[in-house]
Amino acid sequence: RGNDATMTRVPFAGVVAALTAAGALIAALLVPGRWAVTAGVALGMGVAGAFAAIALAILRRLKGVGDSQATSRMVNAYLGLMLARMLGYLAFIGAVVVLQVVDPLSFCAGLIAGTIVFQVVEVVYIRKMS
């Protein structure tokens, strides 16, 4: 396990917070003075990270069962969680567009970037669990 185990010692929520803050900082540097854009990117990445954290927590609980069907349950749960995640994303996108709390395009950009980044990190965590 050596160096590979180091990543899973950092709580996933900490990784989500750090990467979301980094995304917001990058947005603030790329589009200075437009706080609605920075907030949109941060909110989008935060939503993607929250869904990934929820999925990971559920999968950790399933892994704890420890019987021979645990891997099968994890795969089925992961597929269900992906569907729930996409439906959640659509609900958040709709709410952002309707409420105009933040810039909708930057929210979508943050959601896309967060999904890509957090899916990769989530897979690393899942591989360490199995």
Side-chain angles (χ1 to χ4, degrees), residues 3-72:
N3 293 337
D4 294 335
T6 303
M7 181 163 203
T8 56
R9 287 185 194 144
V10 177
F12 191 76
V15 172
V16 168
L19 292 175
T20 300
L25 179 63
I26 291 168
L29 292 173
L30 290 176
V31 189
R34 300 219 25 226
W35 298 110
V37 171
T38 302
V41 169
L43 182 62
M45 286 193 74
V47 166
F51 274 99
I54 291 167
L56 194 60
I58 290 171
L59 292 175
R60 274 198 183 118
R61 288 191 67 203
L62 288 176
K63 182 187 181 292
V65 174
D67 63 6
S68 61
Q69 295 180 350
T71 303
S72 172

Side-chain angles (χ1 to χ4, degrees), residues 91-108:
F92 269 100
I93 290 169
V96 166
V97 168
V98 169
L99 299 175
Q100 294 284 321
V101 178
V102 295
D103 178 56
L105 290 177
S106 62
F107 173 80
C108 290

